[in-house]
Amino acid sequence: MSSTGSGYKVLVIDDSNTIRRSAEIFLKQGGHEVVLAEDGFDALSKINDYHPDVIFCDILMPRLDGYQTCAIIKKNARFAAVPVVMLSSKDGVFDKARGRMVGSQEYLTKPFTKDQLLEAVKHFGSANQGVA
């Protein structure tokens, strides 16, 4: 599926430049290909062009929030199988439940560690192999 051997194609959607950059550094250190998007609208065009193996999506974003973005991705038959991991600075039960309702597979609380991010990619990237 991925042309980089053991690495996966990962899309990180977050309106915070700091979060995007730290995620990019962690993921590249883990041998993954990374594409960054600063909001849901930006992400939707990149998903179409890039076909990521795993998507990390911030919840609180302008214009199109993470729940709306995830719901749109999951409603598209071509991308419904792509795992979406929600990112949030809140660690609330309600947020996790709402994320599951729109189809996200997992929920990481910010600030996340390099290990948390790479573990999620390894887990969901391998689960997504062979789906396309």
Side-chain angles (χ1 to χ4, degrees):
M1 178 132 193
S2 180
S3 58
T4 56
S6 63
Y8 295 107
K9 288 192 221 167
V10 183
L11 174 64
V12 178
I13 313 164
D14 200 301
D15 59 327
S16 160
N17 189 45
T18 309
I19 296 289
R20 283 197 312 272
R21 292 292 166 225
S22 57
E24 180 180 34
I25 290 163
F26 292 160
L27 291 164
K28 284 187 173 174
Q29 285 172 347
H32 304 292
E33 239 180 280
V34 185
V35 167
L36 304 174
E38 55 193 53
D39 65 30
F41 288 111
D42 187 23
L44 295 173
S45 63
K46 289 183 176 171
I47 289 168
N48 208 29
D49 296 341
Y50 185 69
H51 301 279
D53 297 312
V54 182
I55 299 168
F56 287 95
C57 184
D58 183 25
I59 291 176
L60 297 172
M61 296 183 292
R63 301 201 303 162
L64 200 62
D65 73 19
Y67 298 122
Q68 294 166 316
T69 303
C70 182
I72 292 167
I73 293 165
K74 294 298 179 178
K75 282 182 184 138
N76 183 320
R78 286 176 64 203
F79 307 113
V82 178
V84 177
V85 178
M86 303 304 272
L87 300 174
S88 178
S89 48
K90 297 188 296 189
D91 190 15
V93 174
F94 174 77
D95 294 311
K96 289 181 183 178
R98 192 167 168 207
R100 292 243 189 274
M101 282 167 50
V102 294
S104 73
Q105 273 65 27
E106 185 60 81
Y107 187 101
L108 282 185
T109 305
K110 297 189 280 189
F112 44 78
T113 66
K114 177 181 173 181
D115 289 345
Q116 286 174 311
L117 208 59
L118 294 178
E119 189 55 41
V121 172
K122 192 167 85 177
H123 179 79
F124 293 109
S126 62
N128 190 35
Q129 291 299 290
V131 171

